[in-house]
Amino acid sequence: MTPLPADRTCPVDLDFAEPHPAQLDLDVIVRRGKTIRRRRRIAGAGAALVACAAAASIVVGVRGASFRWFPPSPPARPAPAIPAKPIDAQVAGNPPVTGKLTLLSSFPPRWTTVAWATRRGDVCWASYRTPMNGATEDYDCPWSGADVPGPGRQGLSIPLVSPFTGSGDLPGQAGSERVPAFGLVSSRATRVTLTFFGKSFSAAVVPVPLGKGQTVGVYLVWLRVPASASGFGSSDFSGATAYDAAGRIVARHGPWS
Amino acid sequence: MVRQAEKDEFASFVAASQARMVRLALLLTGDRSRAEDLAQDGYAKAYASWDRIRGGDPGAYVRRCIVNANTDWWRRRTWREQPRPLVPDQPGRGDMAGDMAARDMVLRALARLTRRERTVLALRFYLDLTEFQIAHELGIAPGTVKSTVARGLSKLRADAELRAEATS
């Protein structure tokens, strides 16, 4: 633990004695874990349809294109006998505020990454492979509405680095591992540059609708982890800079140490 | 065989880490049964992703699941409860009475903090994460962590019950 000045020590002992030691039920945990796995696989299979919808954008090279997933509001009429498939469990549990997902990246080949803002104000991303080939999708809803850059708030979130499930699909892995980093940025930004293990990596910013005509910039930067690194994490970033279309700096963070 | 080996490895991980994870969840929630639910959920998600996380830091994965699930629970509440003593003020009898009283007093003091203050203090002073690590983990600015730590500590120092206990 980093030594703290006396006035920054905790006045209570959080490592207090516990009269009843924790004893979790491993069988229950494993059963629930298997259920989650099964749901993810089912959801991943259904994600193929979404990938088809995204394919048009990929073919014409349009990043930031959006495609409809759910209607913006529930339909007044009864649901059709055969419901629209797939319903990714994560997306279904966090419905997009506009009913649409925004294409964030179509790299590596056969993988699609989308982002969306939920009706609760969170911002989420999801990656999936088509066809699945045993891979499950990755997803996370790491940002709440309070993390969205805006007046009086930071203009650029701290990048969140995520291990990539489909590393076998990544080209040029020899000698270094590629990992994605996600983050939010002011909607004025068009490009973000991250410094990771001392090297710079850039990506375009994709505007994601927040509803009511507002957007937030979301970025996905593919990083390279040096072969010499024994691990990686957010602490390996030393800076992040966001630029607008004219090349002016919109926001800058770091260096972090 | 592979599945059994995977389960054994996972079981060892749970056995080695559950005390800290349940304690973290207890510090966040102040409620033992809810803490066990949160930890159990975190471990279930870890099991579902075990192939992917086993080579990295599965403890960090479970920790993040616990923190996020607690945040989600707070967000999803449609009502707000007032902080209240989580356990009876009167300690029980027996040899464990002193420990129980100290534990309950800490939990009551934490219950008087905001959710973010509790989370940051638990990560900082129970799990010994640095302010930068906490910032990265929670996706907030290091300055926010620093000010939240300072505010939380200040509230704990001013806590009347803790002060009374310290002077008794």
Side-chain angles (χ1 to χ4, degrees), chain B residues 6-58:
Chain B
E6 174 191 84
K7 192 176 171 184
D8 291 345
E9 183 187 36
F10 181 75
S12 301
F13 163 64
V14 173
S17 60
Q18 62 175 326
R20 284 176 77 77
M21 295 302 175
V22 172
R23 169 61 59 86
L24 170 66
L26 176 64
L27 295 174
L28 300 184
T29 64
D31 180 89
R32 176 64 186 252
S33 61
R34 196 177 138 58
E36 291 187 350
D37 282 349
L38 277 187
Q40 201 150 287
D41 279 353
Y43 281 118
K45 286 173 184 166
Y47 186 77
S49 303
W50 191 243
D51 288 346
R52 184 158 58 93
I53 64 172
R54 61 193 290 194
D57 186 355

Side-chain angles (χ1 to χ4, degrees), chain A residues 1 4 7-9 14 16 18-20 24 28 32-33 37 40 120 122 140 144 158 165 257, chain B residues 3 11 18 23 32 40-41 44 47-49 52 64 75-76 100 103 125 128 131-132 136 140 157:
Chain A
M1 181 175 171
L4 292 166
D7 63 341
R8 298 200 61 203
T9 54
L14 302 183
F16 47 76
E18 182 59 65
H20 309 292
L24 301 178
V28 170
R32 290 175 73 170
R37 264 188 200 170
R40 285 182 183 174
R120 271 195 329 210
D122 299 339
D140 201 358
S144 69
I158 292 168
T165 306
S257 57
Chain B
R3 285 293 176 202
Q18 62 175 326
R23 169 61 59 86
R32 176 64 186 252
Q40 201 150 287
D41 279 353
Y47 186 77
S49 303
R52 184 158 58 93
R64 194 166 169 201
R75 282 184 198 150
R76 284 173 187 161
M100 287 293 286
R103 167 193 187 276
F125 296 105
D128 290 343
E131 288 170 348
F132 287 106
H136 291 311
I140 58 179
R157 284 195 202 95

Side-chain angles (χ1 to χ4, degrees), chain A residues 1-4 6-34 36-37 40-41 93-94 120 122 136-147 154 157-165 234-237 253 255-257, chain B residues 3 6-7 10-11 14 18-20 22-23 26-27 32 36-37 39-41 43-52 61 64 68 72 75-76 96 99-100 102-103 106-107 109-110 116 121-122 124-126 128 130-133 135-142 145-146 149-150 153 156-157 162:
Chain A
M1 181 175 171
T2 309
L4 292 166
D7 63 341
R8 298 200 61 203
T9 54
C10 190
V12 292
D13 180 13
L14 302 183
D15 201 9
F16 47 76
E18 182 59 65
H20 309 292
Q23 195 59 52
L24 301 178
D25 189 332
L26 186 66
D27 288 336
V28 170
I29 290 171
V30 169
R31 268 202 306 277
R32 290 175 73 170
K34 285 179 177 173
I36 294 170
R37 264 188 200 170
R40 285 182 183 174
R41 286 183 181 140
N94 299 278
R120 271 195 329 210
D122 299 339
T136 56
E137 82 279 19
D138 290 329
Y139 54 77
D140 201 358
C141 294
W143 304 287
S144 69
D147 299 317
Q154 56 186 359
S157 73
I158 292 168
L160 298 175
V161 63
S162 172
F164 184 56
T165 306
S234 295
S235 57
D236 297 310
F237 290 97
H253 274 198
W256 300 297
S257 57
Chain B
R3 285 293 176 202
E6 174 191 84
K7 192 176 171 184
F10 181 75
V14 173
Q18 62 175 326
R20 284 176 77 77
V22 172
R23 169 61 59 86
L26 176 64
L27 295 174
R32 176 64 186 252
E36 291 187 350
D37 282 349
Q40 201 150 287
D41 279 353
Y43 281 118
K45 286 173 184 166
Y47 186 77
S49 303
W50 191 243
D51 288 346
R52 184 158 58 93
Y61 185 92
R64 194 166 169 201
N68 287 346
D72 280 352
R75 282 184 198 150
R76 284 173 187 161
M96 293 189 299
D99 285 348
M100 287 293 286
R103 167 193 187 276
V106 170
L107 293 180
L110 289 175
R116 180 175 274 188
L121 290 185
R124 181 74 186 93
F125 296 105
Y126 179 63
D128 290 343
T130 66
E131 288 170 348
F132 287 106
Q133 285 173 315
H136 291 311
E137 195 134 307
L138 300 182
I140 58 179
V145 174
K146 199 169 286 194
V149 166
L153 290 180
L156 286 180
R157 284 195 202 95
L162 293 178

